[in-house]
Every structure is written in C-alpha cells, then in structure tokens.
Amino acid sequence: MSTRSIVFSIAVLACLTTVTGSAQRTGPEGFLREGIRRMPNPPGPAPARDLSGVWVGPIDNKPDPAPPMTPAGEALFKERKPYGDASRNADLGASNDPFITCDPLGFPRNLLAHAVSSRGRFVFGSAPNRLLVSYEQQRVWREIWTDGRALPKAVDVRGAPESRYYGHSVGRWENDRTLVIETTGVDERPWLDEAGRPRSSSARIQERYTRLDEHNLQLTVTIDDPKFYTKPWTWMRANFYWVMGQEFAETICIPSEGIEYRDSLARPSGIQIP
Amino acid sequence: MKTKFLMTAALLAGLAAFDSPSLAHHGNAAFNLTTPVVLKGAVVTEFIWINPHPLIKADYKDEKGNVQQWIMEMGSTVSAQLIGWNRTTVAPGDVVTLYVWQAKTGAFAGRFNKVEFADGTTMRDTQTGGDDGGRADRGVRQ
C-alpha cells in the first residue's frame, strides 16, 4: 500500500463510525437524535407523490438477520476483513475494506451513512423522466428512471450495459405515498455492509419509500441475490426525517486534511503512526 | 512488513477518531477521558475546519507565565455541523475557556470537550461534549 493510500486510510477511517449504538438513543427536547432537530410543528399529511427535499437517517434501523450465504457468497465473504466493531479478527491492520482507500461505498452500503454517526442526509430531486437522489457522503448521486424502461437483464456482457457502483435503477409510484425503486447491475467490488458481506451484479435490490407524513419517510430495503444468498431478506427497515432548514452538507475524504490531522494531532497524542 | 505497519498505524489513527461508541472505546487509548483539562483564558490561534475532524489551536498561559500551545480535535466535521458548528464558530483571537481531554502522552494535545465564550455561551463537542455522559445537544449556541 502506498503512502498516499495510507493517508486516504487515515482520512476515511477517521470519518467512519459504527452503526450500532446511536440508533436506539432518543434526543433531548428539540432534538430527535443528536444533531437532528425535531420540527417544531406537528407533521402535516404527506403530499401526494412527492419525496422532494432533504432527509436524514437512517433512524432506528431494524433489519432482519442476513440469511445463510451460498458457497459462492461464503467464499467471497471469507476474503473480506472488516475493521472496527464489524471486525471478525483482532488484526485491524489487515482490513481490506475498499472504503479504506476511498473507493466508492456503492449502493446500498451508502444508505448506512456510517461516516456521520450512522446518519446522513440525502436529497430527492428530479430531472426529465427520472428522479435524482444525492447523498452528502462523498457527494454522489443516483438517477432513478421513471419513464417505464426496463432494468438491464445482465451487465458486463456483450450488448449489455456496464455494471455501476450505484447500479441501474428504475422507480414507480405504487400509490400516492409509496415510491418503489428497483436496482440491479451493481459493480461487485463494493461491500454490502460494514461486515464485508458481498452482493452480486445480478442482485435485485428494492427500496420502498413510504412517506408517512410531512416529516417522516419510512424506508424498507429488500435484497434478492440468489448468487450469494439462499433467500431474500429485509436489509434495512428504518425511518428518515425531514431536515430542518433543508441544508445539505458534504462529507468528503481529503488526503491533505488526513495528513494534517495525522501530523498535528494524532502523532502528538501518541497514536502510533510512523 | 513496513506496509503492514503503516496500514495498522493508519487504521489505529482512524479508529481513534471514531465517534461514539467507537470513540469511547478507542479514544481511551490516547486520551484521558476522566477529567478534562481546563484552559481558562486561552487565546484561539487557529480553527482548522477540516475533515476528518476540525482542529482548534490555542495558546494558554500557565501559572508560571509559560505559554502552552495546544491543539485539540473535535468529532467529525459533519456531526459538528449538525449541532450548530461552522468554520467561524471560533476564530483566532477569541479569548475563551477550553475544556479538553488531554492526550495521555502529556502533550498539549487532546480531544476537545467544550468551549465557554466571553459572552457566557457554550459550544460543545459532538459525542463527548456533554456533562451528562456525552450528549452534546444541549447548550447549542445559535
């Protein structure tokens, strides 16, 4: 690993947080959770077919346990060496999490928003024939086609589109409050989660966004990936909350800032960096 | 071997900067989280608004008149933003009281806890900034 990569590592890992812990907390008066301001007014009814705006979460994520993997999934999973609370071994230095070197988190791992204390903001917007979803972490965006087109049946084969870190997505309104997004064709390099579970390019990942009211957006994510898992499961079941002021920050790993942090604070504090 | 060493060090550095709950776990290795050092009358020399952590630099004159040059990190930049911080919340020249969890090495470095401004207002760190076990939502300066 190059020195440059090490610097990336410092910056990225310092941004990372674990998923556990914060999800069950409740905030003091005025706050839903730390940093998430409770809207002063009671939520009004959900507007019809409209998710536009900035949301923060996931809050109270209650996924189902991942099902057993197929032999192919197990083989890949065994190669993954996570860090932190997700680590299955004590040798943290051996982690090969691709995000350590700032490789894209990919979809749907980016939904975990683990770089911001297990919460992050995203914004729903629109463009002709599609919805746009932008995420403040790494400032990436997805496009969700709503013009009725079909998802690719395969990727990375002759005549088919290429796989993408954030996949190919189409969306439809199931009713006035629920948007269903189907995604496939993800690049297989990113991890599914902090533990390093895999997901294949043929996986079908469904997001169901149900706007409960003006301020609450429920998200359920299910994954059907027969190549790597023995059955589908609910990977995320959480709430996202309306952001007061609708501001949208950025969380970007910057090598020079990682160096400054390392040299000015980490080393004097006794954190062992050569 | 050297690569592995470098990698481990980088990981440790990153882990030490984790927010709670990981911060509490890993931060214990580097910082004394039992009693914060109080730097009354410290003069802010620089507020570096960077990822992964904003850094506050300040000069503090001890009882013998010696100037200690301190540096302290906050929680993640975005988390700090969520509780009201921005790159101008503190500024060079501000005379403040800083509370900091000092590095166990004894260096004038550590994890920021809270700052009391001359006007009596207080801004806290994320996760480790509260007096009640870490909540930082209270006392947000508007």
Side-chain angles (χ1 to χ4, degrees), chain A:
Chain A
M1 173 172 275
S2 68
T3 301
R4 184 180 175 84
S5 296
I6 296 297
V7 171
F8 272 123
S9 304
I10 296 167
V12 172
L13 278 171
C15 286
L16 296 175
T17 61
T18 54
V19 173
T20 58
S22 61
Q24 299 303 317
R25 296 172 188 160
T26 56
E29 186 177 355
F31 287 83
L32 199 65
R33 296 289 187 281
E34 182 178 83
I36 302 178
R37 291 186 179 280
R38 189 185 300 277
M39 294 298 291
N41 55 305
R49 300 191 176 213
D50 184 7
L51 304 183
S52 60
V54 183
W55 301 88
V56 61
I59 299 168
D60 291 341
N61 184 19
K62 294 183 176 64
D64 289 341
M69 295 181 201
T70 63
E74 283 286 358
L76 202 51
F77 186 49
K78 284 178 181 173
E79 296 175 3
R80 307 277 172 84
K81 297 181 175 63
Y83 54 82
D85 288 0
S87 178
R88 300 185 296 275
N89 59 67
D91 188 2
L92 296 175
S95 177
N96 56 8
D97 189 329
F99 194 52
I100 285 175
T101 47
C102 280
D103 285 5
L105 284 168
F107 177 79
R109 185 180 174 189
N110 67 313
L111 295 178
L112 296 172
H114 59 283
V116 196
S117 302
S118 304
R119 60 176 179 268
R121 286 172 280 197
F122 67 83
V123 56
F124 266 110
S126 63
N129 298 324
R130 76 199 88 168
L131 295 171
L132 302 175
V133 196
S134 299
Y135 303 87
E136 65 183 8
Q137 184 171 318
Q138 304 301 96
R139 284 273 173 169
V140 298
W141 57 277
R142 301 165 58 206
E143 55 185 354
I144 317 298
W145 291 97
T146 55
D147 57 359
R149 71 180 60 191
L151 286 173
K153 290 183 168 50
V155 292
D156 299 334
V157 295
R158 186 169 294 170
E162 295 179 343
S163 58
R164 295 174 176 171
Y165 282 101
Y166 291 86
H168 299 258
S169 302
V170 297
R172 60 183 167 82
W173 288 97
E174 187 173 273
N175 54 51
D176 280 352
R177 295 192 308 155
T178 300
L179 174 72
V180 178
I181 299 174
E182 302 276 357
T183 299
T184 191
V186 295
D187 188 304
E188 293 190 356
R189 286 172 289 184
W191 294 6
L192 175 63
D193 56 21
E194 309 311 294
R197 292 184 179 84
R199 85 273 194 276
S200 76
S201 62
S202 57
R204 294 285 291 236
I205 304 170
Q206 184 189 77
E207 301 158 271
R208 291 176 61 85
Y209 292 90
T210 299
R211 191 161 186 178
L212 300 177
D213 55 38
E214 184 183 10
H215 299 156
N216 291 282
L217 180 61
Q218 196 173 60
L219 171 59
T220 302
V221 180
T222 55
I223 298 176
D224 186 4
D225 189 359
K227 179 178 176 183
F228 289 153
Y229 297 89
T230 54
K231 61 180 180 180
W233 82 103
T234 300
W235 180 79
M236 173 177 284
R237 190 184 286 114
N239 193 56
F240 287 76
Y241 192 73
W242 186 254
V243 174
M244 185 184 292
Q246 292 290 282
E247 292 179 355
F248 193 64
E250 63 183 15
T251 311
I252 298 175
C253 176
I254 302 170
S256 60
E257 293 185 347
I259 292 171
E260 182 161 7
Y261 171 77
R262 178 196 65 187
D263 292 346
S264 63
L265 188 121
R267 283 176 170 166
S269 297
I271 298 168
Q272 295 303 314
I273 297 176

Side-chain angles (χ1 to χ4, degrees), chain B:
Chain B
M1 183 62 194
K2 186 180 180 184
T3 296
K4 187 175 181 181
F5 180 55
L6 283 165
M7 185 64 191
T8 304
L11 282 160
L12 288 172
L15 290 169
F18 270 63
D19 275 336
S20 179
S22 293
L23 172 75
H25 177 69
H26 299 286
N28 283 336
F31 306 119
N32 181 351
L33 293 176
T34 53
T35 306
V37 173
V38 181
L39 309 177
K40 188 174 177 58
V43 180
V44 175
T45 56
E46 195 172 3
F47 183 39
I48 311 173
W49 186 252
I50 61 171
N51 282 310
H53 300 273
L55 301 172
I56 300 172
K57 291 184 177 179
D59 286 347
Y60 170 69
K61 190 175 293 186
D62 66 17
E63 61 275 12
K64 295 178 181 176
N66 300 316
V67 175
Q68 302 172 354
Q69 294 180 320
W70 280 79
I71 182 168
M72 58 204 75
E73 65 169 323
M74 296 178 57
S76 77
T77 309
V78 172
S79 293
Q81 286 176 326
L82 287 170
I83 61 168
W85 285 81
N86 60 45
R87 64 175 70 245
T88 60
T89 299
V90 296
D94 285 354
V95 179
V96 297
T97 299
L98 291 162
Y99 294 71
V100 55
W101 313 107
Q102 188 173 10
K104 290 179 178 177
T105 60
F108 299 138
R111 170 79 185 219
F112 169 76
N113 172 226
K114 64 181 178 180
V115 55
E116 292 173 357
F117 295 92
D119 63 4
T121 57
T122 298
M123 286 290 281
R124 300 173 184 278
D125 189 14
T126 62
Q127 309 296 343
T128 65
D131 295 326
D132 58 349
R135 300 294 316 186
D137 315 67
R138 300 181 179 85
V140 173
R141 194 189 204 204
Q142 298 292 343

